[in-house]
Amino acid sequence: MTNQNPTHETALAFRALHIPGRPLVLPNAWDTASARLVEEAGAAAVATTSAGLAWDLGTADGDRLDRDRALGAVARVAAAVRVPVSADIESGYAKDAAGVGDTIRAVLAAGAVGVNIEDALYGREGDDGEDAGDGGRGPLRPVAEQAERIAAARAAADAAGVPLFINARIDTVLRGAGGVEETLERAAAFLAAGADGIFVPGAVDPGTVKSLVAGVEGPLNVLAGPGAPSVAELAALGVARISTGSSIAQAAHAVVRRAARELLSAGTYDSLTGGLDYAELNTLLGGAR
C-alpha cells in the first residue's frame, strides 16, 4: 500500500507519533532513494528536507523553488514508502494566505499527511536561508500575517477531511530574532490559528529546550545534529519530535565532493570505502511499493 491518496487514518497515525518524552525521530530525506533508506532503517515516518530537496532539483533553499517542482518531488517520496510522509513546504510556496491553501491542497494530492510551514522571510539577493533580513521587512513574518497563513492551511486540510499535522516552524532562535519569550508568543498565536506542533530550529541548549517544552501548549520539535544533545537526552527534556533537517543531505554531498577530489587529485579511492553494497541497494530501490 502506498500513500498516494492520504487517508484520515494515515494522518491520525502520523499525529499519534508525536509524544512528549517518546519523540518521533526523523532522519530527513530528499529523494526516493533517501526516503527508502530511511524507511528501511526503521523510521516510523519520512519527512522531507526543503534544502535537500531544492539542492536535488538544482535550486538554492530559501523560497526559491516553485510549488509544482517541490510537490512533484514530495509525491515521488510519498509513492516510494509505506510510512506517513510529512513535507517541508518552506513558507508555503505562496505569496498570500489563499495561496498557502492552494499549496495544502496540492500537498494532500501529493500524498503527504504533515507539513512544516516556516515564518522566516526571504528575498535578499544572496540570502542563504539562515541570515536575518529581508529588504527591510525583518527576518520573520509579522505574527498576524503568519497566523493567517497557518489558518488558511488548516482550513484547506479540514475542508479536504484530512487531519493534516501542521508543524509551525519558528525561526526566532535560528535567525537571532528573539529568545524564549518571543518564541512562546509566536507559538501561542500559531497554535491558536490551527497549528498542531511547534518547530524551533537552533534551540538545542537543554535549558532553552526545557523552557520551550514547558511553555508551548503542543508537541515541540527540535533540530538535532552534531553537537546537539542525544535523542535520549532530548526525550528526557520532553521533546516530541526530533528532525535532522538538511544535515544528512549535507553529509552525503560531502562524500561526493571528497571522493571526486581524491580521484581527480591523488588518483585514489579511499573515500569510497564503506559504501553500501550494490546488490543490496538495487534490491531495496528496485522493489515494488
Side-chain angles (χ1 to χ4, degrees):
M1 177 180 175
T2 69
N3 287 333
Q4 289 178 321
N5 295 304
T7 64
H8 188 272
E9 291 72 24
T10 302
L12 287 178
F14 179 66
R15 180 181 295 272
L17 295 172
H18 296 76
I19 304 172
R22 290 173 50 196
L24 169 62
V25 180
L26 296 169
N28 294 79
W30 62 94
D31 60 9
T32 56
S34 58
R36 285 275 188 97
L37 287 166
V38 166
E39 179 187 40
E40 188 265 346
V46 169
T48 62
T49 157
S50 68
L53 192 150
W55 298 333
D56 186 57
L57 296 175
T59 304
D61 189 29
D63 276 351
R64 290 174 171 85
L65 191 60
D66 65 89
R67 178 194 293 154
D68 290 345
R69 293 182 71 207
L71 296 184
V74 170
R76 290 190 290 276
V77 167
V81 298
R82 296 187 178 97
V83 296
V85 170
S86 181
D88 184 341
I89 60 171
E90 303 190 55
S91 63
Y93 301 124
K95 292 182 178 180
D96 55 24
V100 173
D102 292 337
T103 296
I104 294 303
R105 285 182 279 275
V107 164
L108 297 175
V113 293
V115 292
N116 279 10
I117 303 177
E118 64 190 70
D119 62 357
L121 276 168
Y122 301 98
R124 292 190 319 174
E125 188 68 26
D127 192 342
D128 62 4
E130 294 187 0
D131 295 336
D134 186 79
R137 287 191 66 192
L140 306 180
R141 289 185 188 277
V143 173
E145 180 184 341
Q146 183 66 5
E148 183 183 9
R149 295 167 75 87
I150 290 171
R154 177 84 280 147
D158 289 350
V162 178
L164 181 80
F165 190 97
I166 299 175
N167 203 31
R169 172 174 150 172
I170 300 175
D171 275 3
T172 42
V173 177
L174 188 64
R175 288 184 157 224
V180 170
E181 183 177 350
E182 293 81 2
T183 303
L184 293 179
E185 289 174 358
R186 284 181 169 262
F190 300 161
L191 289 168
D196 300 288
I198 297 296
F199 179 27
V200 188
V204 292
D205 171 75
T208 300
V209 172
K210 187 174 181 179
S211 295
L212 291 173
V213 168
V216 172
E217 296 293 329
L220 180 71
N221 180 188
V222 299
L223 181 68
S230 68
V231 168
E233 291 170 322
L234 290 170
L237 292 171
V239 170
R241 175 166 165 171
I242 300 170
S243 306
T244 55
S246 63
S247 59
I248 296 177
Q250 290 173 252
H253 297 323
V255 172
V256 175
R257 183 167 71 176
R258 189 161 55 244
R261 287 180 172 176
E262 180 189 356
L263 178 62
L264 295 171
S265 58
T268 54
Y269 325 100
D270 293 342
S271 297
L272 299 176
T273 302
L276 289 174
D277 179 73
Y278 172 88
E280 180 184 2
L281 269 177
N282 210 39
T283 299
L284 175 66
L285 299 177
R289 277 294 186 271

